Amino acid sequence: MITLFAPAKINPFLAVGPPDARGWHPLRTIFQAISLYDEIEVIRGREDETIFDDPSIPPVNTVSRTLELLRESGATFDPVRIRIKKSIPTEAGLGGGSSDAGTLLAWMRDEGWITEKQAGSGARGVGEDVPFLLLGGRAKGEGYGERLTSLDDLPERWLVVAKPSVGVPTPEAFRRLDASPRPFREFPNGDELHNDFELTMPKESRRLIGMLKESGADDAGLTGSGSAVFGRFG
């Protein structure tokens, strides 16, 4: 058995372009991995199986789809039984499911179970956040999340991450955002926070951002499509 740790991410910057003919949205974003983790146990099994400690996770999920895509690509590896202990909340914009998939792909690549090409193809096929979470650290993301440029780490600092009781399904967030006209914002020159999804975020998320600022955060904002928010502290 091997135990892997899949990090959450925040988006200090996130701009969303208009959908293309396929309904896909181009992005300009900064990804930052943070020290909040899901725990993944991998053991050999009789067949591919994915078990979560959170019963709300559906049977078809990012990890099960990743294994299915790898098999379809011709990858040959022993069946695996995967148990995932969730610490990253769902429908939060923290990339939990994507990180589970990306962390598994990175480990399988590093162990020689799959090729670099299969890892990259699997990441792109599962979701826009997965290619970054296959890379980790801090990076600029463009296109549909697959065009990544590694960035130098910033000095370590404290974050407070909070999620209201409501969640935000990603497809619903994009539908609401498409009804809000806005420019496709360019990358910032500095480190200021921006997220287009704040135009349509739940009132509970907006309230939490205000509470973080009142509590002394240097700045605070939404991550991903929400509903989680974060504040940066000295």
Side-chain angles (χ1 to χ4, degrees):
M1 185 183 74
I2 186 76
T3 301
L4 311 172
F5 295 93
K9 60 82 184 171
I10 60 170
N11 300 86
F13 177 82
L14 175 55
V16 181
D20 63 15
R22 300 167 295 180
W24 294 9
H25 294 78
L27 304 175
R28 294 182 181 127
T29 189
I30 302 294
F31 293 108
Q32 173 67 66
I34 64 173
S35 56
L36 169 66
Y37 303 94
D38 285 349
E39 189 173 315
I40 304 173
E41 293 180 353
V42 184
I43 59 175
R44 297 180 192 274
R46 293 191 179 93
E47 60 182 6
D48 291 337
E49 184 180 14
T50 305
I51 303 168
F52 288 84
D53 68 346
D54 180 349
S56 71
I57 306 295
V60 178
N61 51 71
T62 55
V63 176
S64 68
R65 288 204 306 271
T66 297
L67 293 173
E68 184 177 355
L69 284 171
L70 289 174
R71 298 290 187 192
E72 290 174 355
S73 75
T76 55
F77 51 88
D78 291 340
V80 286
R81 188 170 188 262
I82 298 170
R83 297 179 62 90
I84 300 177
K85 180 180 178 181
K86 293 293 293 179
S87 295
I88 305 170
T90 58
E91 296 186 350
L94 291 165
S98 296
S99 185
D100 296 339
T103 299
L104 180 65
L105 284 166
W107 177 77
M108 295 175 78
R109 175 200 61 198
D110 294 345
E111 290 294 304
W113 288 24
I114 59 175
T115 65
E116 182 77 39
K117 182 178 180 181
Q118 287 169 330
S121 177
R124 291 188 296 274
V126 175
E128 288 182 330
D129 288 344
V130 182
F132 164 69
L133 289 155
L134 181 60
L135 176 69
R138 180 170 173 262
K140 175 189 290 188
E142 300 175 84
Y144 300 94
E146 84 289 359
R147 287 164 45 201
L148 295 169
T149 305
S150 291
L151 299 173
D152 292 337
D153 288 330
L154 295 175
E156 200 170 80
R157 67 191 307 182
W158 290 101
L159 290 178
V160 173
V161 178
K163 180 186 177 294
S165 57
V166 297
V168 176
T170 301
E172 178 187 326
F174 277 102
R175 282 195 297 271
R176 291 206 307 261
L177 191 60
D178 285 341
S180 302
R182 66 203 179 280
F184 189 16
R185 187 181 289 241
E186 295 290 342
F187 285 100
N189 292 323
D191 188 36
E192 63 268 23
L193 301 183
H194 173 80
N195 188 333
D196 280 350
F197 285 105
E198 291 186 9
L199 293 169
T200 60
M201 66 182 164
K203 63 181 184 299
E204 293 88 348
S205 299
R206 190 175 305 279
R207 187 179 303 123
L208 281 174
I209 289 174
M211 292 173 66
L212 286 165
K213 291 178 178 178
E214 291 168 5
S215 299
D218 297 330
D219 51 18
L222 191 73
T223 183
S225 56
S227 62
V229 304
F230 64 94
R232 302 193 291 191
F233 289 79

